Amino acid sequence: MKLKSFLLRYYPPGIMLEYEKHGELKTKSIDLLDLGPSTDVSALVEEIQKAEPLITASRTEQVKLLIQRLQEKLGQHSNHTFYLFKVLKAHILPLTNVALNKSGSWPWERSCSIVPVASGTELPWRAQRNVVLAIAFTIPYGVDKIATGSFDKTCKLWSVETGKCYHTFRGHTAEIVCLSFNPQSTLVATGSMDTTVKLWNIQNGEEVCTLRGHSAEIISLSFNTSGDRIITGSFDHTVVVWDADTGRKVNILIGHCAEISSALFNWDCSLILTGSMDKTCMLWDATNGKCVATLTGHDDEILDSCFDYTGKLIATASADGTARIFSAATRKCIAKLEGHEGEISKISFNPQGNRLLTGSSDKTARIWDAQTGQCLQVLEGHTDEIFSCTFNYKGNIVITGSKDNTCRIWR
């Protein structure tokens, strides 16, 4: 093996190694999830060299400089105020979800159209004729393709630049409500009200396999970081962990006593977080499928939950109008976010992990301090409930989608 180059990954912090093996160019990542301002860089590099033969003594100083750059970047916490940049009024139907590509230059709205942020002009094409219920950009950069899942039971794969439809994936017998690309962007998984998940090859458009086992509608799905596992959450109160290569069940997570609302891995794939209509979130050991903690405190259904990029913090959003922040290590609540006057349907961390964004039925989105739970800013202007909201990869753009049929971009 021959090391060719290094690439920095800021969120979550890590170094990507590009190397050549048997004439083929490959990559591997070194995660630095515990990197902080006080980390001893020299000692850290020694540990990395012991575990990674590609990093020889001649590369020591280069790696030190890269990690120091990461330290500086992580110390630049996002503290700016967001201002309304554009209002996109491209739709006659409510916006139920929104997404941004990695750079934040392309927002995608679940109704459905695509609009360059700089111009705010809708591209001259439309997605499916029926309501689009699920959307995703390709991973990791999100500049080439978009998948849309629809009420018409199909998933379509589109070119971002031209609007060309590469493939229409047909096979589900009910509407598609969730979807996700694997990290390698070779597969797209679609979850349907027909109780199944299908994996599709995005190169040739063919179905790879169908995951069967749930007894009710699938409402959430996500891949792990390496792409070899996929989890599905269902109205049957369970979450299933699947082998993405073979389609076989690995574990069934049983413990919730109501419908699942969200299910996802943390970055290092050691934990699974599930949210439920039973008012709780549960943490599971991703290896053996055993529950390691139940996060309680909400007075109503959990509508959304998430990890921060490093997996150290957990956020939960509820129909009780509050959100909570938990430590993933201690499983204790460290902050309660109060201020919304309606249910909170979406919650997400910024890439730096020091801010939280929430969207509510009270027609506002809010920015919060992730350590104290203090509300830092209220994003007002929508005239109906906000269904979805998200940060871009840099954390300097926010997009909100509402039942008022508009999408607002904040910078």
Side-chain angles (χ1 to χ4, degrees):
M1 294 190 296
K2 182 180 180 182
L3 183 63
K4 304 290 288 185
S5 63
F6 292 106
L7 298 171
L8 281 183
R9 187 190 66 217
Y10 290 118
Y11 311 119
I15 298 174
M16 307 294 291
L17 308 181
E18 194 173 60
Y19 65 100
E20 187 177 314
K21 183 178 181 180
H22 304 310
E24 185 179 351
L25 199 61
K26 299 188 175 186
T27 61
K28 67 167 66 175
S29 64
I30 299 173
D31 295 335
L32 303 172
L33 304 183
D34 295 321
L35 182 66
S38 60
T39 300
D40 185 328
V41 175
S42 296
L44 178 57
V45 172
E46 285 184 18
E47 291 180 16
I48 292 172
Q49 286 180 316
K50 289 177 183 177
E52 181 48 70
L54 280 171
I55 301 180
T56 60
S58 63
R59 299 281 191 171
T60 300
E61 290 305 314
Q62 187 178 3
V63 175
K64 282 184 180 179
L65 289 173
L66 289 173
I67 294 177
Q68 287 168 355
R69 281 177 59 189
L70 279 175
Q71 275 187 314
E72 292 172 6
K73 184 70 175 180
L74 295 175
Q76 298 171 3
H77 285 308
S78 172
N79 296 309
H80 62 271
T81 301
F82 290 90
Y83 298 94
L84 183 63
F85 174 61
K86 285 189 182 296
V87 180
L88 307 179
K89 302 177 181 178
H91 302 287
I92 59 173
L93 293 170
L95 288 162
T96 57
N97 210 344
V98 291
L100 283 165
N101 71 331
K102 185 174 181 179
S103 67
S105 58
W106 295 93
W108 179 262
E109 313 157 20
R110 198 196 277 186
S111 207
C112 203
S113 64
I114 184 167
V115 186
V117 166
S119 68
T121 303
E122 182 182 11
L123 289 188
W125 58 283
R126 301 286 292 183
Q128 278 122 322
R129 294 180 182 274
N130 277 289
V131 176
V132 172
L133 300 173
I135 56 174
F137 280 92
T138 46
I139 299 170
Y141 299 108
V143 295
D144 181 28
K145 298 179 181 69
I146 288 175
T148 60
S150 174
F151 186 82
D152 69 6
K153 310 171 190 176
T154 71
C155 174
K156 290 180 180 287
L157 187 70
W158 306 89
S159 165
V160 171
E161 298 295 337
T162 67
K164 174 187 175 182
C165 180
Y166 293 115
H167 302 295
T168 299
F169 305 118
R170 293 184 173 89
H172 283 294
T173 57
E175 54 264 46
I176 294 170
V177 295
C178 53
L179 58 81
S180 178
F181 287 96
N182 67 343
Q184 296 79 21
S185 292
T186 57
L187 299 173
V188 63
T190 55
S192 171
M193 301 296 272
D194 67 11
T195 76
T196 72
V197 168
K198 290 181 180 289
L199 302 184
W200 310 87
N201 184 311
I202 69 171
Q203 292 302 317
N204 59 28
E206 294 181 358
E207 180 181 327
V208 176
C209 65
T210 298
L211 310 181
R212 292 184 175 90
H214 283 292
S215 60
E217 298 91 331
I218 290 170
I219 197 66
S220 175
L221 65 83
S222 59
F223 283 93
N224 67 351
T225 310
S226 59
D228 63 342
R229 293 286 186 270
I230 185 171
I231 50 176
T232 56
S234 170
F235 280 176
D236 66 11
H237 308 180
T238 72
V239 173
V240 177
V241 183
W242 309 82
D243 185 302
D245 295 323
T246 65
R248 68 177 180 85
K249 288 183 185 178
V250 178
N251 285 307
I252 303 177
L253 312 184
I254 300 174
H256 284 293
C257 56
E259 294 93 335
I260 304 297
S261 57
S262 60
L264 66 159
F265 289 93
N266 65 346
W267 179 265
D268 68 9
C269 308
S270 61
L271 293 172
I272 294 170
L273 174 66
T274 59
S276 171
M277 301 301 179
D278 65 10
K279 308 178 187 178
T280 72
C281 279
M282 299 182 81
L283 273 178
W284 310 78
D285 185 305
T287 303
N288 58 31
K290 293 182 178 180
C291 179
V292 296
T294 300
L295 309 180
T296 61
H298 284 291
D299 299 323
D300 209 335
E301 300 169 345
I302 302 288
L303 300 180
D304 196 22
S305 61
C306 63
F307 286 102
D308 71 346
Y309 265 68
T310 62
K312 295 177 182 178
L313 297 176
I314 294 167
T316 59
S318 172
D320 67 13
T322 71
R324 291 173 184 263
I325 304 169
F326 294 84
S327 164
T330 67
R331 288 78 191 252
K332 302 295 184 183
C333 179
I334 60 177
K336 185 178 180 181
L337 283 51
E338 298 179 285
H340 279 297
E341 297 176 359
E343 66 180 33
I344 302 174
S345 58
K346 293 297 290 185
I347 190 164
S348 61
F349 284 94
N350 68 346
Q352 295 87 351
N354 69 321
R355 296 288 182 264
L356 269 168
L357 172 67
T358 55
S360 169
S361 62
D362 67 8
K363 309 174 188 177
T364 72
R366 289 178 177 244
I367 308 289
W368 310 81
D369 185 294
Q371 293 299 322
T372 66
Q374 177 188 0
C375 180
L376 303 175
Q377 189 179 357
V378 181
L379 306 181
E380 298 178 289
H382 283 293
T383 58
D384 210 329
E385 60 186 289
I386 294 174
F387 284 136
S388 186
C389 54
T390 188
F391 287 99
N392 71 330
Y393 180 76
K394 293 182 180 179
N396 61 352
I397 295 175
V398 165
I399 184 169
T400 55
S402 170
K403 192 177 178 181
D404 66 12
N405 305 352
T406 71
C407 167
R408 288 176 177 251
I409 299 169
W410 314 77
R411 299 181 74 167

